[in-house]
Amino acid sequence: MLDKELPMISCKKREKDSCRDNSACCEAEKTLARLYGDQRLARERCLQVCTQVKKIDEDELAAEIKVFKAAADVTRLKILKLLSGGELCICEIMLALKRPQSSISHNLSILEDAGLVKERKEGKWCLYRISDGAVIDMVSLAGQFKRK
């Protein structure tokens, strides 16, 4: 079966235990029934998928995408790794990465916008730090995927 032939499961108006009021979901259930050869299993799986679809919050998804996009750059990932050792000013990050101030500032603003780093002003100095311990965990976990 080609992908274009598969109906999309969309459960926005579906009742908790029934998808009979949503034609897209009913079509998906029929397709699953043909694929599995078992109507009961198709209904059960369709309800399970619909439950998961309903849990997806589009605003939360947009925030998560922003985080992953921010971390998916070599310079920004290096900055996060540097900041995992503690607070640094832009000049220290520039020296460590051998990058111009404009590049470091740009990348820090993206990381800050995504909520991954926080800025603290101390006189004329801007000091940056990891916003939350979970950011360090995220970077550590990302490295573990490739090793497994």
Side-chain angles (χ1 to χ4, degrees), residues 36-67:
Y36 291 136
D38 182 340
Q39 182 66 41
R40 185 196 57 76
L41 177 62
R43 179 158 186 73
E44 180 182 305
R45 299 297 292 171
C46 190
L47 287 172
Q48 181 182 9
V49 171
C50 282
T51 300
Q52 291 304 112
V53 167
K54 288 169 92 175
K55 290 179 183 178
I56 297 173
D57 179 306
E58 293 297 324
D59 293 333
E60 189 175 296
L61 197 59
E64 292 164 348
I65 289 168
K66 187 180 271 193
V67 167

Side-chain angles (χ1 to χ4, degrees), residues 67-74 76:
V67 167
F68 283 111
K69 282 183 177 182
D73 174 84
V74 68
R76 292 191 286 271

Side-chain angles (χ1 to χ4, degrees), residues 20-39:
R20 293 293 170 214
D21 61 341
N22 186 323
S23 62
C25 195
C26 290
E27 287 303 313
E29 185 180 324
K30 288 176 191 173
T31 301
L32 288 175
R34 283 195 312 272
L35 292 170
Y36 291 136
D38 182 340
Q39 182 66 41

Side-chain angles (χ1 to χ4, degrees), residues 68 71 77 136-147:
F68 283 111
L77 193 53
I136 296 170
D137 295 341
M138 178 186 75
V139 172
S140 296
L141 285 171
Q144 291 179 15
F145 284 112
K146 184 66 175 169
R147 286 182 245 153

Side-chain angles (χ1 to χ4, degrees), residues 58-117:
E58 293 297 324
D59 293 333
E60 189 175 296
L61 197 59
E64 292 164 348
I65 289 168
K66 187 180 271 193
V67 167
F68 283 111
K69 282 183 177 182
D73 174 84
V74 68
T75 301
R76 292 191 286 271
L77 193 53
K78 285 179 182 179
I79 291 170
L80 290 174
K81 287 179 179 268
L82 284 172
L83 293 176
S84 69
E87 197 173 59
L88 296 171
C89 72
I90 290 179
C91 60
E92 293 166 328
I93 298 169
M94 286 169 43
L95 292 171
L97 299 181
K98 297 177 177 78
R99 305 280 303 200
Q101 184 271 333
S102 60
S103 171
I104 299 301
S105 290
H106 171 73
N107 284 295
L108 281 167
S109 70
I110 292 170
L111 290 169
E112 193 173 16
D113 186 49
L116 298 176
V117 299

